[in-house]
Amino acid sequence: MAQILAPSPQWQMRIPKCSVDASPLTSKMWSPLVLKQNSSKGAVKTSAKFRVFALQSDGSTINRVEQLLNLDVTPYTDKIIAEYIWIGGSGTDVRSKSRTISKPVEHPSELPKWNYDGSSTGQAPGEDSEVILYPQAIFKDPFRGGNNILVICDTYTPAGEPIPTNKRHKAAQIFSDPKVVSEVPWFGIEQEYTLLQKDVNWPLGWPVGGYPGPQGPYYCGAGADKSFGRDISDAHYKACLYAGINISGTNGEVMPGQWEFQVGPSVGIEAGDHIWCARYLLERITEQAGVVLSLDPKPIEGDWNGAGCHTNYSTKSMREDGGFEKIKKAILNLSLRHKEHISAYGEGNERRLTGKHETASINTFSWGVANRGCSIRVGRDTEKNGKGYLEDRRPASNMDPYVVTGLLAETTILWEPTLEAEALAAQKLALKKGCDQTKTNSKAMASGVGKSAAFTLLILNCFLYFVVAALSGWAVNHGITKARETASQLTIPAHIFPIYFPVGNMATGFLIIFSLIAGVVGFVSSISSMLNVIQWNLPNLHSAAATSMITWLLTLLAMGVACKEIRLGRTESNLRTLETMLIILSGTQMFTTGAIHAGIEDLIAREEIIRGRL
Ligand code: ADP
Ligand code: MN
Ligand code: MN
Ligand code: MN
C-alpha cells in the first residue's frame, strides 16, 4: 500500500541539460542522486518531492530501486517515455506498453503509430495478429513524472479499418457531425467502482467470508469502520489532476468498499478519453496498492448497492433559456430507444437495474425531477431554472464511455423517432394509462408520416408551380409581342389588356395573370416550406402552414379562371397544359397544406405525451 505517489507540480518543469556525466549507468548514479541534486539548482531541488516508494527488497538497507524510480532524467536526455494505452478484447480491460520518444511532445499527432500482438488480447487471429495503435489523446504521466506521457490510442487493422472493439472510432464520427458539433454536448460521468481484497475477491474492509453491518453509515462516511480505501481514491484524485484529467470530485459510496469519481463536464469525445485514462490510472494505483479494481455492476448479490456510471448530459440548447423543453424532447427520444440504450450500457446491468437500491427497472423507462428511482433524473435546479442537464442513471460501471456518450448524442441530436418506435410507445401506454393517453398517441402516430409526405408533395408542387410560372410567363411574353399588331385591328375597349388576349378565348387574359402569380408564389413558397418542413418544429411548421394556405387560395383562384376558360373552349395545347396543371395543383397543394397541419398536431400531441406520460 505504500507505493502511492504524490508528485509535485514542479516536476513538470524542463530542466536544462547538466554538464555532468550523462550516462545513467555510472557509479555516481548509485549514490543518493536525489539528495545530491538538492544541493545544486533550485528547479532540481523540487524534484526530490516527487517520490515513488518501491517495495522493500530483502537484505538491502538503502533501497536503490526506489532511487531509480524517482530518477529525474530530464537533465541528461531529451528523450521521454510514452505509455501507449488501449482497450483490450473484453472491451473493459486496459492494456499498455511503453516506448521511447526522441523529444517531449504536446499533441498526439506528433507521435508515431505503433502496433501490438492482437492475438494475445483476444483481438486478432494468430496468423494475422498485428493491430495498429493510433495515438488520440495525451496526458501527463503521474507515475514517471517529467515530460513522460500517457497516450490513449484506438485500434485498427493494418488496412486502416477500425477493429470491432474500437468504439472510439464511431463516437468520434458522431462527435464530428456538424449538427452535433454545433450543439456542444457536455458529459459529466460518475464512475463508481468497487475495491476488492486481492486473492479472496471480497470487498475491501469486509470480513473475509462475512458481511459488514447493513448499508447506511458508509456513503460519504469517515472513520475506520465506515471508510475503506480512501488512500486509493485520494491518490487517484491527485494522479488525475496531475495527468490533466478533468476530474470534478470523488465520494465514498453506499456500499462499503465502493467509491466514485466524477469526470466533467467534458465536451464530446474528450469525455471518453478522460474516463479511459482515469480508469487506467486507477488500475495502476490499485496494482501498486495490492487491491483489485472491479467494475462489475453488481459485485455483491443481495441488499448491497450496485455500481453504475451515471452520465450527466446537456447540449447547448438545453443549457440556454427554454432548455427544459429541449431536455423533455431528448427524454422522449431516449424513451423511444430504451432497448438500444440498455443493450449498449454495460454487461450484467440486469443484475443492477432491479428497481431497488436507487435504480429503475431495466425493462421500463421512466423519468422524474429529483427522483433517483428513475431511468433519467432531472435536477431540481434544472426544473427551477428552466434549463440545465439530465442524468442518465442507467449506464453500468463497466460501460464504455465512447459508446454511451456517442449514443446519447445520436439519440438526442441526430435521431428522429420512427413510426414503429412511436407505435411501440403507444402500445405500452395503452397498457399503462388507459384511453386518454392512447388517443394522443395514435394521433401522433397517424401524422407521423406527415414529414415525409409533406416533403414529397412540396417537391412535386415546386416542380408543377415552376411549369405553371414558365407557361404563363411565355404567354405574357407572347401576348406583349402579339398585342400591338392584333389589337390595332380592334376597336376600343376590346384591345385593353387583359380582357382581350391574342391567343385562347376571352378568359385567357385573366388566366395568364392569375396563374403567373400562383406559379411564382407557389414556386417560392414550396421552397421555403421545404426548409421549414426539414426543421419540423412548431414555429417553422406554423409559418409553412400559413404560406401554403395562401398559395392554395391563389391556386384555387387561378383554377377557377381555368375552369371558365375550359367552358368557353377553343384553346391551344400550351394553355390546356396550364389548365391541367392548375387543376392538379389545387389538389396537391391542398394535401400539402393538410400534411403540414397534421405535422403541427403531431408535434403538439408529442408534447402532450411528454407532459402526460413522462
Ligand atoms: P450526483 O448528484 O448524481 O451524485 P455528481 O455531483 O456526482 O452528481 O456528478 C455530476 C456530474 O455532472 C459532475 O461531473 C458535473 O461536472 C457534471 N455536470 C454539471 N453540469 C453539467 C451539465 N450542464 N452537463 C453535463 N454535465 C454536467
Ligand atoms: Mn455522484
Ligand atoms: Mn454515486
Ligand atoms: Mn448520479
Side-chain angles (χ1 to χ4, degrees):
M1 282 263 199
Q3 298 177 55
I4 309 304
L5 45 126
S8 78
Q10 287 94 328
W11 184 253
Q12 301 165 31
M13 296 171 77
R14 292 276 291 127
I15 302 153
K17 270 192 173 176
C18 288
S19 54
V20 293
D21 192 351
S23 160
L25 286 173
T26 59
S27 58
K28 272 184 200 156
M29 230 188 70
W30 295 98
S31 67
L33 196 106
V34 174
L35 284 176
K36 191 160 169 265
Q37 287 178 344
N38 265 346
S39 57
S40 58
K41 291 271 151 59
V44 181
K45 193 162 50 182
T46 56
S47 67
K49 288 185 193 159
F50 188 93
R51 304 276 291 161
V52 177
F53 296 96
L55 292 168
Q56 201 72 31
S57 58
D58 290 340
S60 73
T61 44
I62 302 167
N63 200 317
R64 300 184 197 285
V65 173
E66 197 176 303
Q67 285 162 16
L68 283 176
L69 282 171
N70 287 295
L71 190 61
D72 180 9
V73 297
T74 43
Y76 306 100
T77 177
D78 247 1
K79 291 179 180 168
I80 62 156
I81 308 170
E83 189 78 28
Y84 278 49
I85 300 163
W86 70 94
I87 297 150
S90 77
T92 51
D93 54 324
V94 272
R95 310 269 178 146
S96 76
K97 57 177 188 164
S98 42
R99 70 181 289 174
T100 305
I101 303 293
S102 58
K103 60 176 182 18
V105 294
E106 260 152 28
H107 194 267
S109 62
E110 297 169 56
L111 291 164
K113 288 175 188 164
W114 202 13
N115 61 66
Y116 67 93
D117 168 19
S119 69
S120 302
T121 58
Q123 287 171 301
E127 64 278 6
D128 183 16
S129 68
E130 198 154 289
V131 178
I132 315 296
L133 292 168
Y134 289 23
Q136 299 289 8
I138 57 177
F139 296 89
K140 294 175 62 58
D141 184 345
F143 302 100
R144 296 192 173 109
N147 293 308
N148 303 307
I149 51 171
L150 305 172
V151 185
I152 297 291
C153 302
D154 64 352
T155 44
Y156 295 82
T157 64
E161 289 292 316
I163 66 169
T165 48
N166 180 351
K167 306 297 183 197
R168 190 187 190 279
H169 183 78
K170 165 110 190 276
Q173 274 179 343
I174 293 171
F175 288 120
S176 59
D177 186 298
K179 243 178 127 181
V180 177
V181 171
S182 71
E183 276 292 351
V184 203
W186 286 8
F187 298 95
I189 298 178
E190 305 169 51
Q191 175 72 64
E192 292 178 342
Y193 59 93
T194 312
L195 298 173
L196 303 177
Q197 304 169 47
K198 218 174 132 204
D199 306 326
V200 289
N201 272 346
W202 196 238
L204 202 66
W206 290 33
V208 176
Y211 292 86
Q215 291 182 162
Y218 310 110
Y219 170 72
C220 298
D225 55 343
K226 296 173 219 78
S227 174
F228 312 107
R230 187 190 301 278
D231 282 355
I232 290 170
S233 166
D234 247 21
H236 177 254
Y237 200 163
K238 286 200 177 170
C240 283
L241 285 175
Y242 179 94
I245 288 167
N246 187 18
I247 187 166
S248 43
T250 67
N251 63 267
E253 270 304 334
V254 176
M255 184 185 111
Q258 202 170 80
W259 292 83
E260 170 180 312
F261 64 87
Q262 300 100 29
V263 172
S266 309
V267 181
I269 195 74
E270 203 183 279
D273 290 338
H274 282 224
I275 281 288
W276 275 114
C277 189
R279 284 181 182 176
Y280 175 78
L281 292 180
L282 194 52
E283 286 281 18
R284 289 283 304 272
I285 288 164
T286 51
E287 168 194 323
Q288 289 187 351
V291 168
V292 173
L293 169 66
S294 168
L295 293 185
D296 191 296
K298 188 81 174 185
I300 307 293
E301 287 292 301
D303 243 345
W304 304 99
N305 271 31
C309 214
H310 299 168
T311 303
N312 300 274
Y313 169 62
S314 62
T315 60
K316 189 160 163 277
S317 41
M318 292 177 191
R319 296 185 293 269
E320 285 167 356
D321 285 342
F324 197 25
E325 290 306 309
K326 304 282 176 186
I327 291 174
K328 284 194 259 183
K329 170 75 170 66
I331 291 173
L332 176 66
N333 279 15
L334 288 168
S335 78
L336 295 172
R337 293 186 101 194
H338 181 60
K339 273 223 174 78
E340 283 100 319
H341 279 254
I342 285 295
S343 65
Y345 275 10
E347 289 292 320
N349 210 7
E350 68 287 347
R351 289 182 281 121
R352 164 179 166 260
L353 294 181
T354 54
K356 281 191 248 165
H357 307 113
E358 299 177 66
T359 68
S361 152
I362 194 162
N363 298 316
T364 49
F365 180 91
S366 56
W367 82 285
V369 173
N371 187 341
R372 288 173 197 272
C374 286
S375 315
I376 305 277
R377 177 174 70 111
V378 173
R380 279 243 180 278
D381 275 352
T382 298
E383 189 192 38
K384 205 179 79 200
N385 302 336
K387 59 184 170 188
Y389 63 99
L390 60 88
E391 177 191 39
D392 191 342
R393 298 176 61 80
R394 296 169 295 172
S397 51
N398 59 358
M399 62 80 145
D400 185 329
Y402 293 133
V403 175
V404 171
T405 57
L407 196 54
L408 277 170
E410 185 184 284
T411 297
T412 60
I413 303 173
L414 300 175
W415 184 80
E416 279 299 332
T418 60
L419 251 186
E420 301 83 70
E422 295 224 20
L424 213 73
Q427 259 175 21
K428 278 199 194 133
L429 247 149
L431 291 174
K432 266 175 84 184
K433 283 221 174 163
C435 333
D436 244 25
Q437 292 291 324
T438 321
K439 217 162 62 196
T440 332
N441 264 285
S442 51
K443 210 160 59 181
M445 264 171 53
S447 50
V449 268
K451 186 173 181 178
S452 51
F455 198 78
T456 318
L457 281 168
L458 282 167
I459 292 176
L460 173 72
N461 289 357
C462 184
F463 170 75
L464 291 178
Y465 279 119
F466 179 79
V467 176
V468 166
L471 280 175
S472 38
W474 161 84
V476 167
N477 183 47
H478 179 78
I480 291 168
T481 328
K482 284 279 155 69
R484 192 179 296 275
E485 44 186 277
T486 35
S488 59
Q489 295 147 22
L490 298 166
T491 51
I492 291 174
H495 70 285
I496 292 172
F497 191 81
I499 299 167
Y500 168 74
F501 205 75
V503 285
N505 53 38
M506 292 310 277
T508 306
F510 292 101
L511 174 70
I512 297 303
I513 296 286
F514 282 111
S515 60
L516 185 64
I517 293 171
V520 171
V521 172
F523 178 67
V524 174
S525 94
S526 300
I527 290 177
S528 92
S529 296
M530 270 188 241
L531 298 176
N532 285 320
V533 162
I534 289 172
Q535 297 297 321
W536 205 253
N537 56 32
L538 278 179
N540 275 293
L541 285 189
H542 277 305
S543 109
T547 35
S548 68
M549 184 67 94
I550 292 168
T551 310
W552 183 46
L553 291 177
L554 286 174
T555 312
L556 283 182
L557 269 175
M559 195 266 292
V561 188
C563 290
K564 181 74 188 164
E565 192 191 46
I566 293 168
R567 191 147 350 123
L568 294 176
R570 282 182 295 115
T571 55
E572 60 176 83
S573 68
N574 273 349
L575 291 174
R576 278 201 298 274
T577 313
L578 194 61
E579 290 155 10
T580 320
M581 295 243 159
L582 285 169
I583 291 166
I584 295 173
L585 269 171
S586 52
T588 53
Q589 185 61 27
M590 179 184 75
F591 287 127
T592 311
T593 314
I596 291 170
H597 275 94
I600 292 175
E601 277 208 34
D602 172 47
L603 284 183
I604 292 171
R606 278 180 206 201
E607 284 194 0
E608 275 175 42
I609 300 172
I610 297 178
R611 288 215 182 82
R613 165 178 169 239
L614 298 175

